[in-house]
Amino acid sequence: EGFPPEWEDDVTTATMFSSLPRRKNAEWKQKMQFWENVIVSTQKALVRKRSGDKSCLTFTYSELSIRFQRKGLNPRCLPEVLAYHLRDGSKLSRPPSNTEMSTMGAMASFISSMTRSLYVTAVGEGQPTAPGEEELLLHRGLVETEAKKIYDDIVRSAGVDSDLLVPFQELLENKNLKFHEDDLNLLLQYLESKGLVSAIEVEMKTGTSSKWQIVRFRRNVKDTKEIPSEKYIAMFKLAIIDIEKKMKSYEARISELDIKVRKNIRKKDKNKARLLLRRKKRVEKNLQNAVNQQMNLEKIFDSLQNLHSDREILKAMRLGSKEIDKVMKENELTPEAVAEALDDVRDRIMDVDAVNNALSEEMAEEENEGILEELANLELKVANEDESQMENKTKKSENATVRNEVKLQGKDKRETKVITSKRESKDPVAVVL
């Protein structure tokens, strides 16, 4: 999964599987680009399918060799491709080792491992040295992308403006992340090198400290000052996690003892059932004590978190107050200045109204000169039109009357003829004749 379409082309793969040219010509660049794309695309596919069981950000030459086998053939140029990329240092690198982490610190070791040349020959430029078969490698761009995704997801899902304190164990168990512990350490190291996260070390019961017990996700990258309350919050978070683990253990133990008690009751072994029941009661008491401790710790933890949040709110309010004061001073926003400005505006409005009134009066006088004469002409024209319409209506009515009279006379004649014909048909003498 993740292979490009040209991977299925026998001609293309045969060319790409051959050794690199000695000169850095077009063919050399084409092969280098092809194998970089294949490595990144297939590694991204593994990252998408991650389950947290094993590392998906790092890989070895041995793993790549097996992954890129095709029809029983291995790419002969792969060791050279990896060697050149490693020497360049901008694409491939290796994760910082534990020794580097302890001596240089996370930020320095990560930047060093991501930028310096790791595989340069001792004398001159020469040919770069290929990595060992089981040596861990990583692709820089892939680490950067996944690290930024984690930061965005954690910060966005929180929905708060202050820094976030998240236990490392909680990040490991996050179902949306599903990163192996080694990968998560690597991603946090990158984010720390960019100033986006920092580790809060809390002393454990053994007196030792762990690097990533509590991770602080920073909202403001420039604000690197440690806050005393953060360590207390971190300590309470770890204590709550520890109590939750104990509670789960107590609950499992109670369930187990309950099953055993029931079995012995069925066997009629009352003595053993009584003994197991006493143990169950003790575990139940321990569970109740753990619940009470958890409630007390959560109350204190919530109070500390509220104080931490209040601190950020107060800081924002102070900054807002300073900004308001700055803007008012720069723009001279005082009550007196505002009142004076309003008076000026009122005066200008009055002036504009006066000009409008003057202009409207002049226009009225000019228009009145011809209005009366035009009105008289219109009245005369309208009167003539009305008179003409009346004459037309009169003529139409007279013509209609004449037509009606003619119609009536014609109708009377037709009726007279019909009556005469009926009478003649009824006369027997007329019929005989």
Side-chain angles (χ1 to χ4, degrees):
E1 189 177 349
F3 287 95
E6 54 266 27
W7 184 261
E8 300 300 327
D9 186 357
D10 292 338
V11 177
T12 302
T13 51
T15 304
M16 295 302 165
F17 270 49
S18 60
S19 301
L20 286 176
R22 292 185 178 182
R23 295 182 179 180
K24 295 182 179 181
N25 53 18
E27 182 185 353
W28 185 92
K29 293 180 181 178
Q30 183 182 7
K31 286 186 177 181
M32 291 290 290
Q33 187 64 50
F34 173 82
W35 284 110
E36 182 192 350
N37 294 340
V38 172
I39 292 171
V40 173
S41 61
T42 55
Q43 203 65 32
K44 281 183 178 180
L46 293 176
V47 171
R48 287 193 298 269
K49 293 172 62 177
R50 66 184 180 271
S51 60
D53 298 333
K54 61 180 182 179
S55 174
C56 60
L57 290 177
T58 57
F59 50 88
T60 64
Y61 165 66
S62 178
E63 291 173 351
L64 294 181
S65 182
I66 295 172
R67 186 190 306 175
F68 298 145
Q69 275 186 355
R70 189 173 184 277
K71 296 182 178 181
L73 299 176
N74 291 326
R76 287 185 294 174
C77 63
L78 186 58
E80 300 172 89
V81 171
L82 295 176
Y84 273 107
H85 276 305
L86 286 168
R87 189 172 73 170
D88 177 66
S90 62
K91 303 291 185 181
L92 297 183
S93 182
R94 66 171 181 174
S97 64
N98 293 332
T99 304
E100 287 178 320
M101 287 292 298
S102 60
T103 56
M104 300 173 62
M107 186 180 297
S109 63
F110 194 88
I111 294 174
S112 174
S113 67
M114 296 289 271
T115 55
R116 64 188 170 91
S117 175
L118 299 174
Y119 297 97
V120 184
T121 51
V123 181
E125 293 185 1
Q127 291 295 322
T129 306
E133 289 190 358
E134 301 301 327
E135 189 171 11
L136 288 178
L137 309 173
L138 59 84
H139 190 274
R140 180 176 182 176
L142 190 59
V143 172
E144 291 178 355
T145 302
E146 295 303 321
K148 290 175 181 177
K149 282 182 182 178
I150 285 183
Y151 179 83
D152 292 340
D153 290 343
I154 297 296
V155 172
R156 191 187 303 111
S157 62
V160 296
D161 294 330
S162 59
D163 292 353
L164 303 174
L165 301 181
V166 184
F168 181 78
Q169 190 64 30
E170 186 177 320
L171 293 175
L172 272 181
E173 296 172 359
N174 191 317
K175 294 181 179 179
N176 294 326
L177 301 182
K178 293 182 181 179
F179 276 110
H180 186 267
E181 184 175 355
D182 294 339
D183 289 343
L184 191 56
N185 273 302
L186 183 64
L187 295 171
L188 291 176
Q189 288 166 21
Y190 172 79
L191 291 174
E192 187 179 29
S193 71
K194 298 298 181 181
L196 297 173
V197 303
S198 62
I200 300 179
E201 300 181 18
V202 181
E203 290 187 1
M204 308 295 287
K205 294 179 182 178
T206 58
T208 60
S209 61
S210 176
K211 171 64 179 175
W212 295 108
Q213 291 177 14
I214 297 290
V215 183
R216 176 187 180 186
F217 287 83
R218 299 182 183 276
R219 283 281 187 175
N220 185 3
V221 179
K222 295 181 180 179
D223 184 12
T224 58
K225 183 175 64 175
E226 295 294 336
I227 304 169
S229 62
E230 286 186 346
K231 288 195 174 183
Y232 292 105
I233 293 174
M235 290 173 62
F236 278 109
K237 275 201 171 187
L238 292 176
I240 290 171
I241 291 172
D242 187 46
I243 289 177
E244 287 176 349
K245 290 180 180 178
K246 287 181 179 180
M247 289 170 61
K248 289 180 181 179
S249 176
Y250 289 148
E251 289 170 354
R253 181 63 177 159
I254 290 169
S255 178
E256 180 184 350
L257 289 171
D258 185 65
I259 293 172
K260 289 181 178 180
V261 169
R262 292 174 183 275
K263 283 183 179 180
N264 284 279
I265 290 174
R266 291 189 182 97
K267 293 178 180 180
K268 307 298 181 181
D269 191 349
K270 291 185 179 180
N271 292 329
K272 194 169 183 180
R274 191 184 302 114
L275 179 62
L276 292 170
L277 190 58
R278 286 178 181 174
R279 290 180 185 174
K280 180 185 173 185
K281 293 294 182 184
R282 285 199 299 270
V283 179
E284 286 177 346
K285 186 177 180 180
N286 291 336
L287 177 60
Q288 186 59 46
N289 291 336
V291 171
N292 294 334
Q293 290 174 3
Q294 184 190 35
M295 290 177 64
N296 293 333
L297 283 173
E298 285 179 348
K299 286 180 182 178
I300 301 172
F301 176 73
D302 290 340
S303 299
L304 280 172
Q305 276 198 319
N306 289 335
L307 287 173
H308 190 69
S309 178
D310 292 344
R311 167 187 170 273
E312 297 296 328
I313 293 172
L314 181 61
K315 181 179 177 181
M317 292 175 68
R318 286 174 176 169
L319 290 173
S321 176
K322 289 180 180 179
E323 186 64 22
I324 290 172
D325 184 58
K326 179 182 176 182
V327 172
M328 291 185 69
K329 286 181 178 179
E330 288 178 353
N331 296 276
E332 298 181 355
L333 293 176
T334 61
E336 294 78 10
V338 173
E340 184 178 352
L342 288 174
D343 289 340
D344 291 340
V345 170
R346 293 190 188 98
D347 292 341
R348 300 292 80 78
I349 291 174
M350 292 176 64
D351 293 342
V352 171
D353 289 341
V355 171
N356 287 336
N357 292 333
L359 289 173
S360 62
E361 288 176 0
E362 291 177 2
M363 290 296 295
E365 290 177 0
E366 291 177 359
E367 290 175 355
N368 283 335
E369 293 179 358
I371 283 178
L372 294 176
E373 183 179 353
E374 186 176 353
L375 181 61
N377 292 333
L378 286 173
E379 287 177 348
L380 181 60
K381 186 176 180 180
V382 169
N384 293 333
E385 290 176 354
D386 292 344
E387 184 178 355
S388 176
Q389 290 177 359
M390 289 296 295
E391 290 178 356
N392 291 334
K393 285 181 179 180
T394 303
K395 289 180 180 180
K396 286 181 181 180
S397 61
E398 290 177 353
N399 293 335
T401 303
V402 172
R403 285 196 298 271
N404 290 334
E405 290 178 354
V406 172
K407 287 180 180 180
L408 289 173
Q409 291 176 1
K411 185 177 180 181
D412 292 341
K413 289 180 180 180
R414 287 194 299 272
E415 288 178 353
T416 303
K417 288 181 180 180
V418 171
I419 293 170
T420 305
S421 63
K422 287 181 179 181
R423 287 177 180 175
E424 289 176 354
S425 63
K426 289 180 180 180
D427 190 353
V429 177
V431 172
V432 173
L433 294 175

